Amino acid sequence: MKEEILQIPLVPLRDLVVFPNMVFPILVGRTNSINALEESMMGKKKILLVTQKDPEAEDPSSRKLYRVGTLANLLQIMRLPKGELKVLVEGLHRAKVIRFLRADDHLEAKISVIRRNDDPTSPLLEALRRKATALFENYSRYNEGIPLEVSSSVLRIDNPQRFADLLSAHLLLRVNEQQKLLESETLLDQFKLLIGYLTKEIEISKIEQQLDGEVKQQITDSQRRLYLQQQLKTIQDELGENNFESDEYRELFERIEVADFPENIREVAEREFNRLTRMHPVSAEAAVVRNYLDWLLDIPWTLKTRDNLDIKKARKILDEDHYGLKEVKNRIIEYLSVMRISRSIKGQILCFVGPPGVGKTSLGKSIARCLGRNFVRTSLGGVHDEAQIRGHRRTYIGAIPGKVIESLRKAGSINPVFLLDEVDKMGQDIRGDPASALLEVLDPEQNNAFCDHFLEVDYDLSNVLFITTANTLPGIPPPLLDRMEILRFPGYLDNEKLAIAKEFLIPKGLKAHGLEKLRITFSDSSILSIITNYTQEAGVRELERKIHKVFRVIATQLVEKGLEPQNQKPLFISKQNLVKYLGQHTFLESKKPETLLPGETIGLAWTASGGDIMVIETALMDAPFKLSLTGSLGDVMKESAAAALSYVRSRTKMLGIDPALFRRKEIHIHVPEGGIPKDGPSAGITLALSIISAFTRKSLPEDIAFTGEVTLNGRLLPIGGLPEKLLAAKRNKINKVILPKRNQEKLVEIDPQIKKGLDLQLFENMDEVLYYLDLVSPPGKQPQ
């Protein structure tokens, strides 16, 4: 084909395809189109006529316009009273759009003019022309919509190209079928399409006549609707297609046409839609394909929210939503600062680890607020099937995508803040390991091509900001943990809980219970009493519930007395009248005994809900040697007790203990609260001191707590959960903590507010601890 390049004004057409070699009137009313015509009249009076894919679009984008149109001459323009223009155009040549352009007030296009070079003397071309002529004569007899003079004038045309174009223009076809005729590359291709359409239309006309003959005698007014439905059904059964004509299928096609798909996804959607139109509408497979197309259309593929990277505003939002958590907030601000500079979040997966109720989930929402992104959350607690992450294949009945794609559909954008909650509580069974499936989701090197089994196409997750939460790290598989940056939430101090209650929980509770107009004031001592006597947690969830209980009691009293909140005197909640609302104390203010008996020691323990203290007791009985361990101890803690006993027996001379005692004493070690399972190696130092205290009959100080693993040679090994353990010490009025020296580096990272008021003593081995507690005299020092 010979081509020439032009740039000319463009007029989009609705429900109309103009062919070369025809003169046709069109009505123009849109402002952009009128401006394009006026621009053309001032130039060479050439215009490009391009058909819209969506006739409803008022200002169609380039995606909604076909890429092949007709280059036409403007023959005549008539201005109508309402401002519209009636234009007479003459089609000249086909033209392919190279690029759509937008001028100041109209559309233009850079085009390549197509001039066909088919050999008019070709025997094949002549054969196709004759076949098309014969079919058109037959078609005209069946179709009363084509006047006799029109069909006669078309059949008298000798030029094959002109004959094919005028025939294409006068056939009563759908717009997309006419567009295919216009886009055909050669005259031979155009004739082949024409012959196919004519054959199909003639067959339909024959069936219509047959239906008319069969049912015409039975038609009554009440049967008219049934007759029309029977006609449509018979035509569809005969052709095995035309599902596209239903409103549902037409709507689905329009949604696919206007969807902002990537090119590869558009190809998949169009292929599946074509399959759907060839299926019986009520077949099971048609329902599966329809469901698949609905998912493709509902998932965001390109829609992206704009990030707000104002660091001052972000810090303000974090402070508004959460009290304290200084280290965590600073890390998030650092994270946003890097985003502002690099405009990239790849490789950044945050994992919030901490006890329940410390604000992990709500902080995820705050990050979404800071960024101006959509927020979506899914819980992974109890998930034990890989398909819940990757989705089910479409061969299964009721198959749907996994939680990742399902959540992105809810988010409505490709760059939400995506919170994966309780990532440490996933399971696994014969149906697969969901943690392994998450490896691809959370790996920045792979998640740009995440493949859900239901969709079977790649989806780009690289724009998503993933945040995970967990109560403990041991529940997270090491390969998954390796992909995340850990941010620890140690829990709140009592003074922080007091501030949170005053600034957040009480105002929120008043609003939730409709008591804003009732002036309720809590004294600081009453809030602290709720914290110490009615709750025992690292977070503030139970504290919030207790405050809400106070409000519920007040609301009940008002309703029973028929009083309105706004008419009441101010109400003051003090420590003394708190019992009226919450009843007697649930917990002691401190678990710490007033004095310790020989054989008792105070240890620090980490729990899923924060830190706690435990009193370990050792009793000696006259009996052959035996070590008894009670209190729901795990295997690791039992081994720690055995190692501690071996250490003590190796130091009998230093401790002044008769070695023969061990052969005739039964040693019983008990850790109270036997209903609560306990495990871990960090009680080694506490167990050893409890045994020593029992044998020496020396009581240990009640204001010192211990934590650390002990080896057989007395070395003290580092332990975990320090922030939670130190919080437990402060909560229970313990002033001094003894711990391994190898934890010194970790101590530096702990919030100074947690360490404030604590005397932290660090030792390398157990012997030094014994010297410090005056249980033995250091070498070279004689007892006084």
Side-chain angles (χ1 to χ4, degrees):
M1 296 183 185
K2 184 181 177 182
E3 297 182 357
E4 61 177 294
I5 307 301
L6 298 174
Q7 180 173 327
I8 59 171
L10 178 151
V11 171
L13 303 177
R14 289 170 165 158
D15 292 323
L16 176 64
V17 178
V18 175
F19 286 86
N21 303 304
M22 65 178 288
V23 177
F24 199 86
I26 58 174
L27 191 65
V28 178
R30 288 181 281 189
T31 305
N32 285 347
S33 298
I34 292 173
N35 292 336
L37 289 170
E38 291 175 349
E39 179 71 18
S40 177
M41 288 299 293
M42 291 188 293
K44 297 181 180 180
K45 298 186 179 181
K46 296 282 192 300
I47 195 78
L48 179 66
L49 303 175
V50 177
T51 304
Q52 296 180 198
K53 295 178 183 178
D54 178 13
E56 301 298 324
E58 187 64 26
D59 185 14
S61 63
S62 58
R63 188 181 288 276
K64 296 181 181 179
L65 295 173
Y66 287 108
R67 306 289 297 194
V68 175
T70 300
L71 178 64
N73 262 337
L74 296 178
L75 301 179
Q76 183 181 5
I77 294 182
M78 181 184 301
R79 194 173 295 276
L80 301 179
K82 292 184 179 180
E84 297 175 331
L85 298 180
K86 187 174 182 181
V87 184
L88 191 65
V89 296
E90 178 188 16
L92 297 176
H93 302 287
R94 287 167 171 77
K96 184 175 182 179
V97 177
I98 298 172
R99 184 181 302 160
F100 289 101
L101 306 167
R102 186 171 288 277
D104 293 337
D105 55 1
H106 64 277
L107 287 174
E108 291 190 354
K110 186 177 182 181
I111 64 170
S112 169
V113 179
I114 302 171
R115 301 181 189 274
R116 288 176 172 172
N117 55 4
D118 295 82
D119 181 7
T121 63
S122 166
L124 176 58
L125 184 61
E126 178 61 22
L128 290 172
R129 189 186 72 80
R130 291 182 183 182
K131 178 68 174 175
T133 302
L135 288 172
F136 184 67
E137 288 178 338
N138 197 4
Y139 174 74
S140 300
R141 286 196 292 271
Y142 281 109
N143 199 314
E144 298 177 357
I146 300 178
L148 180 61
E149 59 272 16
V150 171
S151 60
S152 300
S153 63
V154 170
L155 294 171
R156 287 197 297 269
I157 297 172
D158 293 327
N159 184 294
Q161 178 64 74
R162 189 160 178 261
F163 172 72
D165 286 337
L166 290 179
L167 197 59
S168 301
H170 286 98
L171 283 183
L172 301 178
L173 300 174
R174 290 191 290 267
V175 169
N176 63 320
E177 293 174 334
Q178 287 189 314
Q179 183 66 28
K180 286 181 181 178
L181 289 167
L182 183 66
E183 293 178 359
S184 53
E185 292 188 3
T186 66
L187 188 53
L188 290 174
D189 293 337
Q190 188 176 355
F191 269 120
K192 288 176 184 178
L193 279 175
L194 279 169
I195 290 169
Y197 289 145
L198 283 166
T199 303
K200 176 181 171 182
E201 293 296 324
I202 290 169
E203 287 299 316
I204 293 174
S205 299
K206 286 180 179 179
I207 294 169
E208 286 177 341
Q209 282 194 352
Q210 181 182 348
L211 286 171
D212 285 340
E214 290 176 359
V215 300
K216 197 168 185 180
Q217 301 300 322
Q218 304 174 14
I219 293 180
T220 63
D221 291 341
S222 61
Q223 293 174 317
R224 179 172 180 76
R225 180 175 179 82
L226 179 63
Y227 163 69
L228 294 173
Q229 289 176 342
Q230 182 63 31
Q231 264 194 323
L232 179 60
K233 183 178 183 303
T234 305
I235 293 169
Q236 289 178 336
D237 290 344
E238 195 72 29
L239 296 176
E241 52 183 40
N242 273 355
N243 287 335
F244 183 75
E245 292 299 327
S246 70
D247 291 341
E248 183 183 6
Y249 281 53
R250 188 181 297 110
E251 179 188 348
L252 186 60
F253 176 76
E254 291 170 356
R255 288 177 65 195
I256 293 172
E257 285 294 298
V258 301
D260 197 8
F261 284 138
E263 198 58 41
N264 63 317
I265 305 302
R266 181 171 298 281
E267 290 175 6
V268 171
E270 290 175 351
R271 184 178 67 241
E272 291 295 320
F273 179 78
N274 290 334
R275 283 184 60 219
L276 181 63
T277 57
R278 294 193 294 271
M279 297 175 185
H280 196 283
V282 296
S283 68
E285 190 176 3
V288 171
V289 174
R290 175 60 199 264
N291 182 43
Y292 178 75
L293 287 172
D294 282 338
W295 273 99
L296 283 184
L297 289 163
D298 290 343
I299 298 167
W301 294 97
T302 57
L303 181 61
K304 202 173 185 180
T305 55
R306 186 176 179 182
D307 284 342
N308 173 26
L309 298 176
D310 186 337
I311 301 303
K312 290 183 180 179
K313 184 179 179 182
R315 195 181 290 278
K316 181 181 178 184
I317 289 173
L318 291 173
D319 289 337
E320 284 176 358
D321 292 351
H322 295 83
Y323 182 86
L325 302 176
K326 183 178 179 182
E327 182 181 347
V328 176
K329 289 179 181 177
N330 286 340
R331 179 62 190 89
I332 292 168
I333 294 299
E334 292 168 7
Y335 182 81
L336 298 180
S337 300
V338 172
M339 280 185 62
R340 181 169 180 173
I341 295 172
S342 67
R343 298 288 172 181
S344 173
I345 61 170
K346 292 182 180 179
Q348 301 287 324
I349 310 292
L350 301 179
C351 180
F352 296 162
V353 179
V358 294
K360 300 186 295 296
T361 302
S362 58
L363 189 61
K365 294 180 182 177
S366 297
I367 293 173
R369 276 188 63 201
C370 293
L371 288 171
R373 293 190 179 193
N374 298 328
F375 176 79
V376 64
R377 169 192 170 273
T378 189
S379 177
L380 299 178
V383 171
H384 51 79
D385 185 356
E386 179 195 3
Q388 291 182 271
I389 305 296
R390 290 186 182 275
H392 295 82
R393 298 191 185 278
R394 281 184 281 162
T395 51
Y396 294 101
I397 296 174
I400 58 172
K403 285 178 174 287
V404 175
I405 296 298
E406 184 180 1
S407 298
L408 286 168
R409 181 176 73 165
K410 293 177 184 176
S413 60
I414 65 171
N415 63 333
V417 173
F418 195 145
L419 186 80
L420 296 166
D421 218 354
E422 311 292 356
V423 75
D424 58 327
K425 295 178 178 59
M426 289 185 292
Q428 67 180 85
D429 57 21
I430 57 172
R431 289 171 289 185
D433 181 7
S436 298
L438 271 183
L439 293 177
E440 180 185 0
V441 175
L442 299 181
D443 190 339
E445 300 301 323
Q446 300 180 49
N447 65 8
N448 62 336
F450 172 70
C451 185
D452 185 277
H453 290 161
F454 179 83
L455 295 181
E456 294 181 330
V457 293
D458 290 343
Y459 191 93
D460 186 359
L461 296 175
S462 61
N463 295 296
V464 179
L465 171 52
F466 285 105
I467 298 173
T468 64
T469 73
N471 295 132
T472 62
L473 290 180
I476 306 175
L480 188 58
L481 192 62
D482 183 58
R483 284 161 168 77
M484 301 183 290
E485 179 180 351
I486 307 302
L487 291 183
R488 296 183 181 274
F489 289 59
Y492 295 110
L493 300 168
D494 287 353
N495 65 311
E496 290 177 322
K497 291 182 180 181
L498 173 65
I500 291 169
K502 292 167 69 175
E503 295 181 24
F504 299 94
L505 303 184
I506 293 174
K508 179 183 173 183
L510 286 170
K511 185 176 181 180
H513 292 81
L515 298 175
E516 306 105 301
K517 296 180 181 178
L518 181 62
R519 289 163 290 173
I520 300 176
T521 306
F522 286 76
S523 68
D524 288 358
S525 60
S526 68
I527 299 173
L528 289 171
S529 179
I530 297 175
I531 293 168
T532 56
N533 301 130
Y534 293 93
T535 68
Q536 197 172 59
E537 59 178 347
V540 293
R541 198 168 286 160
E542 185 63 21
L543 173 60
E544 182 177 25
R545 281 194 281 265
K546 294 300 181 184
I547 291 172
H548 285 189
K549 184 176 180 181
V550 173
F551 292 146
R552 289 197 302 272
V553 172
I554 293 171
T556 302
Q557 292 172 351
L558 291 175
V559 171
E560 287 177 346
K561 295 177 182 179
L563 303 174
E564 294 294 330
Q566 61 269 25
N567 300 327
Q568 303 308 305
K569 295 180 180 178
L571 186 59
F572 183 73
I573 309 296
S574 65
K575 182 178 180 180
Q576 289 71 31
N577 66 10
L578 195 59
V579 178
K580 290 195 312 182
Y581 303 100
L582 298 179
Q584 295 301 319
H585 294 175
T586 309
F587 301 101
L588 296 174
E589 192 162 328
S590 172
K591 285 184 175 183
K592 184 187 73 171
E594 292 185 7
T595 58
L596 294 179
L597 300 174
E600 292 182 335
T601 50
I602 299 174
L604 296 175
W606 180 93
T607 68
S609 60
D612 203 354
I613 68 167
M614 58 181 179
V615 178
I616 294 180
E617 304 171 344
T618 299
L620 305 178
M621 285 81 68
D622 291 330
F625 173 75
K626 179 183 177 183
L627 176 62
S628 300
L629 301 169
T630 56
S632 296
L633 307 187
D635 290 341
V636 176
M637 194 166 181
K638 288 178 181 178
E639 292 175 357
S640 293
L645 178 59
S646 296
Y647 165 77
V648 174
R649 295 183 70 172
S650 70
R651 297 294 192 275
T652 52
K653 184 177 181 181
M654 183 174 71
L655 291 165
I657 300 173
D658 182 2
L661 282 176
F662 289 95
R663 293 193 295 272
R664 58 177 186 267
K665 291 291 184 183
E666 178 182 346
I667 304 171
H668 185 175
I669 299 177
H670 177 66
V671 184
E673 299 185 38
I676 302 174
K678 309 166 190 72
D679 206 358
S682 64
I685 185 173
T686 316
L687 290 163
L689 288 171
S690 178
I691 296 169
I692 292 170
S693 175
F695 274 99
T696 61
R697 307 307 297 167
K698 294 181 180 179
S699 298
L700 294 170
E702 67 278 357
D703 62 343
I704 303 180
F706 308 89
T707 181
E709 181 179 354
V710 176
T711 68
L712 293 176
N713 294 319
R715 293 191 186 90
L716 298 183
L717 302 183
I719 42 83
L722 263 182
E724 291 83 0
K725 291 178 179 179
L726 296 182
L727 277 173
K730 295 192 74 168
R731 202 159 38 236
N732 288 276
K733 317 300 182 192
I734 292 173
N735 303 320
K736 188 177 294 186
V737 177
I738 289 178
L739 61 155
K741 194 168 187 178
R742 296 189 187 184
N743 277 110
Q744 191 163 12
E745 291 183 1
K746 291 290 183 183
L747 278 174
V748 177
E749 300 173 3
I750 295 175
D751 189 339
Q753 284 297 320
I754 296 177
K755 296 182 288 186
K756 186 178 180 181
L758 288 176
D759 180 7
L760 303 177
Q761 297 293 328
L762 285 76
F763 298 98
E764 288 188 355
N765 60 68
M766 190 67 194
D767 294 351
E768 294 177 356
V769 177
L770 299 180
Y771 301 146
Y772 179 80
L773 296 173
D774 287 330
L775 293 174
V776 297
S777 299
K781 180 180 179 181
Q782 298 298 321
Q784 299 296 321

